[in-house]
Amino acid sequence: MDDIRNKVRYLIGDTLTTVSDLFTYGSSPIFTLTEPNISAITDVYRNDVASGVTHTYSSITKKVTISSSLTAGDAIKIEYTCYQNYSTTELTDYIQAALVHISI
């Protein structure tokens, strides 16, 4: 199924894209990402510096939690890769539906 899903992604032009979200730290170190179909967090920057920023990502909530110390007003940039059109589940469902139609 992974091979079929990858081929379908290339056919419809829904390949991995690098996206970045910008935030200003206030009081909560939890940041919600804007894209829904996230593949991986590639880097987290604090005031344009990536080194030393400790973070975790929850694929369920689509939130990044920074555990490094932050100061109010810090500029946070989170870079990640995502599929901008379809989730893996959606593509799998479409492929399975297509196979049912073909078999009929």
Side-chain angles (χ1 to χ4, degrees), residues 91-104:
L91 279 185
T92 301
D93 291 347
Y94 288 137
I95 291 166
Q96 288 174 341
L99 291 172
V100 168
H101 285 289
I102 290 171
S103 69
I104 293 174

Side-chain angles (χ1 to χ4, degrees), residues 1 12-13 15 27 30 35 37 44-45 54 59 62 71 79 90 93:
M1 184 60 84
I12 63 175
T15 56
S27 60
I30 301 170
E35 294 293 332
N37 306 314
V44 176
Y45 297 82
T54 306
S59 60
K62 310 293 188 225
T71 304
E79 288 183 348
E90 287 174 309
D93 291 347

Side-chain angles (χ1 to χ4, degrees), residues 2-76:
D2 287 339
D3 288 341
I4 294 170
R5 202 171 24 248
N6 287 337
K7 288 176 182 173
V8 169
R9 283 198 187 281
Y10 280 106
L11 285 171
I12 63 175
D14 189 27
T15 56
L16 279 177
T17 305
T18 300
V19 177
S20 61
D21 288 344
L22 302 172
F23 304 94
T24 301
Y25 173 69
S27 60
S28 174
I30 301 170
F31 303 94
T32 304
L33 301 177
T34 57
E35 294 293 332
N37 306 314
I38 298 162
S39 174
I41 304 298
T42 53
D43 225 335
V44 176
Y45 297 82
R46 182 183 72 216
N47 298 325
D48 293 325
V49 177
S51 63
V53 179
T54 306
H55 66 280
T56 56
Y57 169 66
S58 169
S59 60
I60 295 168
T61 62
K62 310 293 188 225
K63 294 182 182 193
V64 173
T65 302
I66 296 177
S67 51
S68 297
S69 63
L70 297 172
T71 304
D74 280 349
I76 305 298

